[in-house]
Amino acid sequence: MRRTERTASLFIIAAILAIALYLALARLPSARIAAVDVDPAPSLERIFLPLAGTSYFSSRRFQAELAASRLPYIGSVSLAFNSGRACIGTEYREDGVLLASANGSYISYPGSFVPVEADDIPFLMGIYPLVEVEEGFLADPWREDVLAAARSLSGLSSLITWMKYGNNNPDGSPALTIDIPALGAVLSVTEAVSGDTIRKGVDAIGKGKAGFGQDAVRYRLLPDGTVMAEGE
């Protein structure tokens, strides 16, 4: 037998043995996934929960990991297996902003807008700031300023529960309206300012905190970060 034929034969034998070993391991009771722990984002649950009852060595596991990695908000995904339990580890991309409109839901990262499933939004609101926008937002000249401001406020999720951008002023001009129920306040941003300026305004409102149980006081943010209550 020539060397090339011998090499090919050895390769085929090794491949057959590898496949046989894989199939044997897949049939081991200890390789069965009895339960799956995964973050409760509906899209992640749809991908990973069906793995329960399958083998850890099944190709379905690799397909699930690949499908999860394609979700726009996932930075990386991993699967650890121990005593019949599959634990899904996920890292989420940074600098995202959720956009909700009548035409659909999106997540924006610097330079991109990607659709997301609407039922993922309640879960993702714990990770990213959310802005309700009107139709035509993607063509709005103030779009990037709104997104930059929203990104910079992501650390204030315990205070800010909702933001809305649109023609919210009585004169029909655009404004970013920020709901701050913990301070009994609604803050209206009518000019392009930095997130630091908005934080300064939120801090100023906090010093005169109205608190729960009172009607929300509406404030307007000035470009220097000071705030004025309606009627002042």
Side-chain angles (χ1 to χ4, degrees):
M1 182 180 292
R2 289 178 295 182
R3 174 177 293 182
T4 55
E5 294 175 342
R6 185 166 56 251
T7 301
S9 298
L10 290 173
F11 177 80
I12 293 172
I13 292 172
I16 293 173
L17 290 174
I19 294 172
L21 177 62
Y22 178 86
L23 294 175
L25 289 173
R27 289 183 171 86
L28 289 175
S30 59
R32 289 288 167 182
I33 297 174
V36 177
D37 293 334
V38 64
D39 285 344
S43 288
L44 287 172
E45 291 183 330
R46 284 191 288 268
I47 291 171
F48 285 107
L49 292 185
L51 292 181
T54 67
S55 170
Y56 174 73
F57 297 101
S58 168
S59 62
R60 292 177 61 182
R61 165 208 161 190
F62 301 104
Q63 292 168 359
E65 289 180 291
L66 180 60
S69 69
R70 289 172 175 166
L71 293 174
Y73 47 81
I74 294 295
S76 66
V77 61
S78 61
L79 190 154
F81 182 68
N82 184 34
S83 300
R85 183 175 294 273
C87 298
I88 314 303
T90 48
E91 291 187 7
Y92 296 89
R93 293 178 60 185
E94 298 180 350
D95 296 328
V97 177
L98 297 171
L99 302 172
S101 73
N103 296 326
S105 303
Y106 300 83
I107 190 164
S108 171
Y109 296 98
S112 68
F113 291 86
V114 186
V116 294
E117 296 292 337
D119 58 358
D120 284 341
I121 293 295
F123 171 79
L124 294 173
M125 284 176 64
I127 302 173
Y128 302 109
L130 182 143
V131 182
E132 180 183 352
V133 297
E134 298 176 349
E135 184 179 358
F137 174 74
L138 299 186
D140 192 293
W142 198 25
R143 179 191 69 193
E144 293 303 326
D145 295 292
V146 172
L147 292 172
R151 286 190 182 96
S152 69
L153 298 175
S154 60
L156 297 179
S157 57
S158 60
L159 288 177
I160 297 172
T161 59
W162 194 260
M163 290 184 278
K164 182 175 182 179
Y165 174 72
N167 298 326
N168 303 323
N169 287 323
D171 62 0
S173 61
L176 177 64
T177 303
I178 303 173
D179 189 21
I180 319 172
L183 302 181
V186 176
L187 180 62
S188 180
V189 183
T190 58
E191 299 183 52
V193 296
S194 68
D196 288 340
T197 301
I198 298 176
R199 283 176 178 269
K200 182 179 177 181
V202 173
D203 289 342
I205 294 171
K207 292 177 181 178
K209 179 178 177 180
F212 291 106
Q214 301 183 29
D215 292 336
V217 178
R218 302 187 68 87
Y219 296 89
R220 181 165 60 91
L221 181 68
L222 303 182
D224 63 356
T226 59
V227 293
M228 292 181 59
E230 281 191 355
E232 289 185 350

